[in-house]
Amino acid sequence: MTNSNQEKKSWAEEAVSFIKTLAFILAIAVGLRTCVIEPFKIPSGSMKNTLQIGDYILVLKFWYGLRLPYVTNSVAEWNAPKRADVVVFTRPNDPNTPGEDDSEIHIIKRVIGLPGDTVEIKSGEQGGGTVLINGQPIEEPYARWVDRGPNEGRPWGPKTVPPGHVLLLGDNRDQSKDSRFWTDPFLDIRRIKGKAVIIFWSWDKFSRIGTVIR
């Protein structure tokens, strides 16, 4: 075999090896994004001050269970959402939003009501409001009631969360369209895509990068 032929064979082998390595890396990346972790961008101010418009966050998709591509509901569950978890989810189409395909929109809110909880929101005398769970007010250091938006002073409930569901609210209570506005206020837990864990980029303040979401 001539040197020329040997060089051609060596180049071909290296090219095949490179393609195999690249395919393997891409498969790992797709697998991680599909089942383990996925980035999301915050599109609105409904979660202020916890999350700002333009924040980029990482969501752990395996936190509550296993999800597969193009499958709406999780296929296996091993961890239940806890109160105050910040989660990303989709919800069924709602008659209140006829121009949108709600099942294709990723939404981020905070879990407030758990299965069996009776949830009520009372208006505050000086504005704002108080969330009661089973008749008792809860501490919410993350909640913001100061925007004087369309939701200000709007009482809600009491309503009881059914089994296998949760009730979700935005932290910016006066500017969040959440469980209080949906035709069915309760979300099937299987529609939760994952738990928001960290801000990995922020156009608001660089100091927010690396902030753990609580």
Side-chain angles (χ1 to χ4, degrees):
M1 182 179 293
T2 66
N3 289 338
S4 177
N5 288 337
Q6 288 177 338
E7 289 175 359
K8 289 181 179 179
K9 182 177 180 181
S10 177
W11 182 89
E13 290 174 346
E14 289 180 3
V16 170
S17 177
F18 173 77
I19 292 171
K20 287 181 178 179
T21 302
L22 181 61
F24 177 74
I25 292 173
L26 289 175
I28 293 295
V30 170
L32 288 174
R33 190 179 187 278
T34 300
C35 301
V36 180
I37 194 165
E38 186 171 352
F40 286 93
K41 179 183 177 182
I42 303 303
S44 73
S46 69
M47 287 295 292
K48 288 182 176 179
N49 286 323
T50 305
L51 298 170
Q52 302 290 336
I53 298 173
D55 280 353
Y56 288 82
I57 65 171
L58 290 179
V59 173
L60 290 183
K61 302 182 74 172
F62 65 87
W63 192 271
Y64 303 114
L66 176 64
R67 294 185 59 87
L68 296 178
Y70 313 112
V71 176
T72 299
N73 295 337
S74 57
V75 296
E77 299 174 36
W78 48 70
N79 199 15
K82 295 180 175 57
R83 195 179 332 277
D85 282 359
V86 177
V87 299
V88 170
F89 58 93
T90 61
R91 65 191 185 97
N93 282 330
D94 194 319
N96 287 337
T97 55
E100 298 177 349
D101 183 358
D102 299 295
S103 65
E104 295 295 325
I105 300 173
H106 293 136
I107 309 169
I108 183 164
K109 303 293 179 189
R110 191 180 294 272
V111 175
I112 299 298
L114 301 175
D117 284 344
T118 297
V119 184
E120 182 177 8
I121 300 175
K122 289 190 173 181
S123 301
E125 295 181 1
Q126 304 300 323
T130 301
V131 174
L132 286 78
I133 302 292
N134 302 322
Q136 299 298 317
I138 61 174
E139 293 291 331
E140 294 191 290
Y142 43 76
R144 166 176 168 158
W145 302 84
V146 297
D147 273 3
R148 302 296 187 264
N151 308 348
E152 183 195 357
R154 177 173 176 165
W156 187 91
K159 294 185 179 182
T160 301
V161 184
H165 292 71
V166 290
L167 180 139
L168 303 115
L169 299 177
D171 287 357
N172 191 5
R173 297 289 161 80
D174 293 338
Q175 296 286 348
S176 175
K177 289 190 175 180
D178 42 43
S179 283
R180 296 170 290 176
F181 293 87
W182 303 341
T183 301
D184 180 357
F186 307 114
L187 180 78
D188 189 325
I189 289 173
R190 295 176 299 171
R191 296 189 73 97
I192 295 177
K193 294 180 69 68
K195 180 179 179 181
V197 292
I198 196 169
I199 300 170
F200 73 88
W201 182 259
S202 176
W203 292 111
D204 180 56
K205 290 181 180 178
F206 289 162
S207 60
R208 292 169 54 78
I209 298 174
T211 300
V212 176
I213 299 169
R214 303 183 188 282

